[in-house]
Amino acid sequence: MDIGLVLQTDPPARLLVERMRRAEAAGFSHGWTFDSCVLWQEPFVIYSQILSQTQHLTVGPMVTNPSTRTWEVTASLFATLNEMFGNRTVCGIGRGDSAMRVAGRRPATLARLGEAMHVIKELAEGRSAVLDGTEVHLPWVQDSRLPIWMGAYGPKALALTGRQADGFILQLADPYLTEYMVKAVRRAAAEAGRDPASVTVCVAAPAYVTADDSPAALAHAREQCRWFGGMVGNHVADLVRHYGEHSDLVPDALTAYIKDRHGYDYAHHGRAGNPDTQFVPDEIVDRFCVIGPPALHREKLAHLRDLGVDQFAVYAMHDAIESTIDAYGSEVIGRL
């Protein structure tokens, strides 16, 4: 199982680059960032610095979207990085949550997302694609490869992932839901005539390594990671609005916990101490995240690996970023 690191592009950017260098030295395979240019700094500028100061790390957004940049711009960004540093990029993409809503716009439809994934991949890999009725080609692209990994929760998004994407990003580490959603993606891939095993599975969630499993240590870790249940809750709320509170198409294990959710302020998005996430119970933090001493991390990640997960991406948005990177390097990576 690969291990990735996910950071926000908070200033100063040099600190993020240093942390990515630290992660590569610790054995991490991927360096991911959020992509929400109002809330944080522009990630593609920073990717160039990360790639220039590492040797093997693959970088990409978790996740970009089809709307804040035109598709030829997104394709050109990735292809340029690939030309400069080798094929060390991956395009995580979704409908757009914070990047769109913080600017007063709606996330993209799945139809638009599917079209964008096709066009971005074709252009970034040097092939022609039709863009707004015009055939477009980036003539300077040579030997570029761009895997497209799609973030999804709902049944239609999971089906689109299986039909089209190179990889599946699931932003939660609950084994039951992971198994449920991986099966849905692979079923859709098989129905589309694809090899289900060809779809890479990446689970992304906060990981907080504690010195022991004492109540005080676990309580602190939960408070540092509770924001994640609120972030996931944004997507879950969309599913509930679309499918209803109890639907055969969306498991209650995903939706039930948002019953006491009351709005969301993106000013606190992705940050420990987010006041809009107090509705998230401890049980959800424990299910969706990976917290506790290293042995508990190894145990949960081994379970996820056995369910078909190829990469676990560590969300490090808490007060122990460096120590988590170091603990994964010494106690988790290589010991799964």
Side-chain angles (χ1 to χ4, degrees):
M1 174 188 276
D2 287 337
I3 302 295
L5 177 67
V6 190
L7 298 174
Q8 294 164 337
T9 54
D10 280 318
R14 60 170 177 76
L15 180 58
L16 185 151
V17 175
E18 290 171 5
R19 285 169 170 166
M20 290 298 185
R21 291 176 60 191
R22 187 179 193 133
E24 182 181 61
F28 286 71
S29 62
H30 288 65
W32 303 89
T33 76
F34 280 19
D35 177 16
S36 190
C37 299
V38 172
L39 297 176
W40 301 291
Q41 292 181 322
E42 167 57 44
F44 282 92
V45 178
I46 299 171
Y47 295 156
S48 187
Q49 288 295 309
I50 297 171
L51 289 166
S52 72
Q53 297 188 42
T54 57
Q55 299 298 314
H56 307 291
L57 207 67
T58 296
V59 305
M62 188 173 283
V63 294
T64 192
N65 66 83
S67 303
T68 52
R69 301 177 189 86
T70 61
W71 303 345
E72 72 274 21
V73 169
T74 299
S76 182
L77 287 166
F78 281 111
T80 300
L81 292 173
N82 284 343
E83 190 279 327
M84 293 174 68
F85 303 105
N87 289 319
R88 294 169 55 198
T89 64
V90 56
C91 177
I93 194 168
R95 295 174 57 228
D97 178 37
S98 63
M100 296 300 292
R101 287 178 164 132
V102 77
R105 299 196 291 269
R106 294 172 61 87
T109 64
L110 288 176
R112 180 172 172 83
L113 176 56
E115 185 181 357
M117 289 194 296
H118 171 75
V119 170
I120 290 167
K121 184 175 181 67
E122 294 300 290
L123 294 180
E125 295 190 345
R127 296 181 291 274
S128 298
V130 176
L131 184 64
D132 295 330
T134 299
E135 185 170 336
V136 177
H137 174 238
L138 304 182
W140 50 269
V141 175
Q142 294 183 353
D143 301 321
S144 176
R145 294 292 177 266
L146 182 64
I148 306 284
W149 295 8
M150 179 178 157
Y153 293 108
K156 293 180 180 178
L158 294 169
L160 175 60
T161 303
R163 290 195 307 270
Q164 184 174 342
D166 300 305
F168 166 43
I169 295 173
L170 175 59
Q171 296 182 88
L172 52 81
D174 175 73
Y176 170 78
L177 291 172
T178 297
E179 182 176 20
Y180 178 96
M181 294 185 185
V182 168
K183 284 181 177 178
V185 168
R186 289 184 170 158
R187 183 168 56 248
E191 290 171 353
R194 307 177 68 197
D195 176 5
S198 69
V199 181
T200 302
V201 177
C202 175
V203 161
Y208 197 103
V209 180
T210 61
D212 53 47
D213 59 356
S214 66
L218 295 179
H220 179 76
R222 289 186 184 109
E223 287 310 310
Q224 287 294 304
C225 298
R226 198 175 304 277
W227 65 267
F228 182 69
M231 187 188 83
V232 173
N234 295 330
H235 304 284
V236 173
D238 283 346
L239 295 176
V240 170
R241 281 191 290 269
H242 188 78
Y243 294 102
E245 289 188 11
H246 302 287
S247 168
D248 293 338
L249 298 175
V250 183
D252 284 350
L254 176 62
T255 61
Y257 83 97
I258 70 162
K259 63 182 184 300
D260 295 323
R261 177 182 182 271
H262 301 289
Y264 190 85
D265 182 353
Y266 280 90
H268 310 289
H269 187 61
R271 299 193 184 281
N274 186 333
D276 296 324
T277 61
Q278 293 308 305
F279 71 92
V280 179
D282 287 352
E283 179 224 354
I284 288 294
V285 180
D286 292 347
R287 282 173 46 203
F288 284 13
C289 306
V290 186
I291 64 172
L296 292 181
H297 289 249
R298 294 194 298 268
E299 180 182 352
K300 188 164 188 177
L301 297 190
H303 190 179
L304 293 172
R305 179 197 59 201
D306 293 343
L307 295 175
V309 175
D310 301 294
Q311 179 181 155
F312 176 63
V314 173
Y315 273 20
M317 292 82 172
H318 48 55
D319 64 0
I321 296 173
E322 282 82 6
S323 62
T324 296
I325 293 171
D326 294 344
Y328 262 70
S330 62
E331 301 290 339
V332 179
I333 297 172
R335 297 182 61 181
L336 289 173

